Amino acid sequence: MAQPERRGPQVLNIGEVLAQLSADFPGMTASKIRFLEEKGLINPRRTPAGYRQYSDGDVERLRFVLALQRDQYLPLKVIKDYLDAIDRGERPENLPPGVVVSPRIVSDELAAELQNRGRKLSEEQLRAESGASVPLLQSLLSFGLISHSNGQFDEHALQVARACVQLESHGLEPRHLRPFQAAAEREFGLVERAVAPLASRKDSASQARAAEAAREISDLCLTLHRALVQDHISRMDI
């Protein structure tokens, strides 16, 4: 009786990779995949003629990267640090809540989770997860520190609410925090101007570079802000 033919690992071309990703990431393009390769997030094999050959593991890594960008708003540098740790057989530190990975390959739980869109919360869920009172949430909304779409809040609103709960315990109310919103808008204006040359281009690779540059500039702005505030604190006569 003939033995069944043994097939090796599946090898995909870039078009087949796009076909697998298109349902969950409809804006995905070949240019974006090549950009992620440029940044060292994936490393497909090449044929002697130079054509890329993607494995199932490459596709899974792409899902991991794209979902963390989309759902957790993480910069590529942070995601690459996670992947480097995974490849060393370590568990990355400071993973977003609920993200579980195993060495070299994303876990089944994460693969299922990453197919979902960014989490949306009702007002009741937002209060429960942040610990915010009804009056506090109403104040955050009235001062424009959080917003909702059709009664649904996102992860940014949750982060703001959690921070404001802690600040409230130090006597800082939402009305005191309006300068933060104004500063955020000014910093966004700086970021927007800095990436405008890339953002004005219509190709996907330029759009991806613009988004990544915006995240990097934002991180630098936050580092600068923290350093300046810490400098003032260090000069306090206490």
Side-chain angles (χ1 to χ4, degrees), residues 187-203:
E187 288 180 15
F188 174 71
L190 290 173
V191 173
E192 195 173 33
R193 285 197 293 275
V195 302
L198 278 174
S200 63
R201 301 177 191 172
K202 302 303 180 186
D203 62 287

Side-chain angles (χ1 to χ4, degrees), residues 92-117:
E93 296 180 359
N94 302 319
L95 276 171
V99 175
V100 180
V101 294
S102 55
R104 290 199 169 273
I105 193 164
V106 179
S107 68
D108 291 340
E109 292 82 5
L110 179 59
E113 178 185 338
L114 294 185
Q115 291 177 6
N116 299 320
R117 294 287 176 181

Side-chain angles (χ1 to χ4, degrees), residues 82-99:
Y82 290 163
L83 287 172
D84 288 345
I86 293 166
D87 287 342
R88 292 193 299 269
E90 302 169 2
R91 188 190 188 286
E93 296 180 359
N94 302 319
L95 276 171
V99 175

